[in-house]
């Protein structure tokens, strides 16, 4: 709530001396165009919230921190004051008002001295304050001057305001007693991955009843590598506790870095290291390691398949090249051809010639050698069977 954030200094910074007690009534009213106004009130004793006003029933809801009290049972009067200011202040200032805040109460010192106060703010800015001794209003902003003139004329209202903060408030303080509160501080460290990035938000959440808690720090060997660090608080929480929160952006690429937070208190320090989990207990580092292991396995399989494919393609290409390369022509010795021809001439059967050729040339035979031998035989036979050749031979000796 905005009004709580604006009043943090009044809740956390002690303005009273030893033995003194303070009681504050913090009210806020807000309205948006077309909506009904919303009114809230929180009662704080010595910086500890002790009561909350229910806006529906207008009754005070007491906190369990109270052991005894003399608080009013309802907050109807305070609720009407806020609603009235939401309606009248905009008309007097001729401006739009969305939020009205009121802080009133008293401080009772050990010697019985009473300091009373009442102040108003509009849209988060100081607006007007009340002096209980003179029962006069003083504007804190130029726009509040019309309200100052109008409220100073309402003597009955001013008298009632003075009576409440000067007379009723100190009596309430004397009847309030808080339960003993253990000075407890809780520190939780967790992380949340940032979608579609390799970054994560590390959170250190501190809840403490110890008022001496004022700071929280990021530690670990990965602290110096954080992209940025932000600390908010102390902020008031329920039952008088305060909240501090540290947020740091860290990298998810390295799971060997350590991160932790330390909180300084009045008596000792509390340190907690991040165990790699998210807020709901899921292990963030485990998922990161599994992801990288799976990615490494996939890349290994891809590399192995690529190597096998390259080797197979190279072997196929090599085999094709070997098959396409023509075998060198065989050289036939002329003397062997002549001997082979004589053997073949001495055999009259063609089948027997084929057998002799297969044995001499190999079981499968050599078609090219056989063709060469056949050509030699044909040339030789041509000399024997050519008529012109024989004519020349016959005519020659006769002549």
């Amino acid at each position: 709530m905005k009004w709580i954030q604006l009043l943090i200094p009044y809740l956390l910074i002690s303005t009273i001396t030893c033995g003194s007690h303070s009681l504050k009534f913090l009210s806020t009213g807000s309205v948006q165009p077309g909506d009904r106004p919303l009114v809230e009130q929180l009662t704080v004793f010595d910086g500890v919230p002790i009561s909350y006003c229910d806006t529906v029933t207008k009754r005070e809801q007491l906190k369990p921190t109270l052991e005894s009290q003399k608080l009013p049972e309802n907050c109807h009067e305070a609720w009407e004051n806020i609603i009235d200011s939401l309606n009248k202040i905009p008309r007097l200032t001729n401006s739009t008002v969305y939020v009205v805040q009121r802080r009133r109460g008293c401080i009772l010192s050990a010697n019985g001295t009473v300091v009373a106060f009442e102040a108003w703010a509009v849209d988060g800015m100081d607006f007007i304050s009340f002096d209980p001794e003179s029962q006069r209003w003083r504007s804190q902003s130029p726009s509040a001057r019309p309200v100052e003139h109008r409220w100073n004329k309402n003597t009955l209202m001013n008298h009632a305001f003075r009576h409440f903060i000067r007379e009723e408030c100190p009596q309430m303080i004397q009847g309030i007693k808080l339960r003993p509160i253990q000075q407890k501080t809780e520190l939780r460290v967790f992380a949340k991955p940032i979608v579609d990035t390799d970054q994560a938000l590390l959170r250190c959440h501190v809840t403490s009843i110890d008022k001496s808690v004022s700071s929280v720090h990021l530690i670990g060997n990965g602290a110096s590598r954080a992209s940025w660090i932000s600390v908010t608080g102390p902020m008031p929480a329920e039952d008088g506790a305060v909240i501090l929160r540290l947020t740091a952006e860290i990298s998810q690429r390295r799971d060997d870095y350590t991160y932790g937070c330390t909180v300084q208190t009045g008596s000792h320090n509390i340190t907690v290291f991040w165990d790699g989990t998210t807020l709901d207990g899921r292990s963030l580092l485990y998922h990161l390691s599994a992801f990288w292991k799976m990615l490494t396995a996939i890349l290994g399989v891809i590399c192995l398949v690529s190597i096998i494919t390259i080797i197979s393609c190279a072997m196929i290409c090599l085999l094709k090249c070997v098959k396409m390369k023509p075998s060198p022509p065989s050289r036939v010795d002329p003397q062997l051809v002549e001997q082979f021809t004589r053997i073949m001439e001495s055999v009259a059967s063609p089948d027997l010639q084929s057998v002799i050729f297969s044995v001499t040339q190999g079981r499968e035979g050599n078609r090219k050698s056989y063709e060469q031998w056949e050509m030699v035989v044909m040339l030789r036979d041509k000399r024997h069977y050519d008529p012109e050749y024989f004519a020349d031979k016959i005519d020659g000796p006769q002549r």
Side-chain angles (χ1 to χ4, degrees), residues 190-224:
F190 53 91
K192 177 183 179 182
I194 303 177
V195 180
D196 298 332
T197 67
D198 59 355
Q199 301 294 106
L201 292 180
L202 183 74
R203 296 280 178 83
C204 299
H205 189 85
V206 182
T207 304
S208 178
I209 303 177
D210 190 348
K211 297 296 178 60
S212 64
V213 172
S214 59
S215 62
V216 56
H217 302 281
L218 182 67
I219 60 173
N221 60 9
S224 60

